[in-house]
Amino acid sequence: MTATPDALDRRLINALQGGFPIVPRPFAAVADALGLDEDEVIGRIAHLVEVGILSRFGPMLDAERLGGAVCLCALAVPAERFEAVAAILADLPAVAHNYERRHALNMWFVLATETPAGIEAAARAVEAATGLTVARFPKEREYFIGMRVEA
């Protein structure tokens, strides 16, 4: 396996985007559906994460239905501090992910906390760690777009 997904990797990625079987041996079920071996499925997924083709492999949980909260946030980060601030955010447990945008607010991220009150505490922790003001964009309405990315 290489850092470029092969045809089998692509089939696996495409199959996993539609859901994951809730059975005693889910990787075996995926393997059977694709005509693969269970260990090969597990190994391929691990490799795809390891080399960065997949940023993560796991469930998408609805934090709010579990009693938690999420909030889209942004920072105006000076260019010379961008990488350092990204590293700070990567180390904070409440930051789900962050990415760069070409905008005055050039670093966007999602805060996810166990309680709604945790959002404000997490935003203040980001401000304390970075010295920057966090712009908060709480969700007003939820949209399900059923996003799939064909590999």
Side-chain angles (χ1 to χ4, degrees), residues 5-149:
D6 64 18
L8 249 138
D9 291 331
R10 292 176 190 282
R11 282 182 53 220
L12 179 59
I13 292 167
N14 290 336
L16 292 174
Q17 289 185 71
F20 197 69
I22 307 299
V23 296
R25 293 184 56 206
F27 294 100
V30 170
D32 288 344
L34 296 175
L36 301 172
D37 174 83
E38 179 181 23
D39 289 335
E40 183 175 11
V41 168
I42 293 168
R44 282 181 177 270
I45 292 169
H47 176 76
L48 292 168
V49 171
E50 181 182 313
V51 299
I53 291 170
L54 298 179
S55 58
R56 64 181 288 278
F57 176 77
M60 295 292 289
L61 302 174
D62 185 336
E64 291 165 327
R65 288 184 71 187
L66 296 170
V70 295
C71 184
L72 178 64
C73 299
L75 297 170
V77 183
E80 66 276 5
R81 292 190 57 210
F82 196 88
E83 293 304 318
V85 171
I88 291 168
L89 291 185
D91 285 339
L92 296 174
V95 177
H97 61 276
N98 69 73
Y99 50 94
E100 183 176 7
R101 285 268 176 94
R102 289 190 177 123
H103 185 273
L105 295 171
N106 57 346
M107 183 175 291
W108 290 73
F109 56 99
V110 173
L111 292 176
T113 60
E114 292 182 14
T115 65
I119 293 294
E120 189 57 32
R124 284 193 309 270
V126 170
E127 290 174 336
T130 64
L132 301 168
T133 301
V134 174
R136 298 152 176 86
F137 301 95
K139 178 171 62 175
E140 294 179 1
R141 193 173 334 157
E142 185 163 340
Y143 298 91
F144 179 74
I145 59 172
M147 185 181 153
R148 270 184 68 91
V149 177

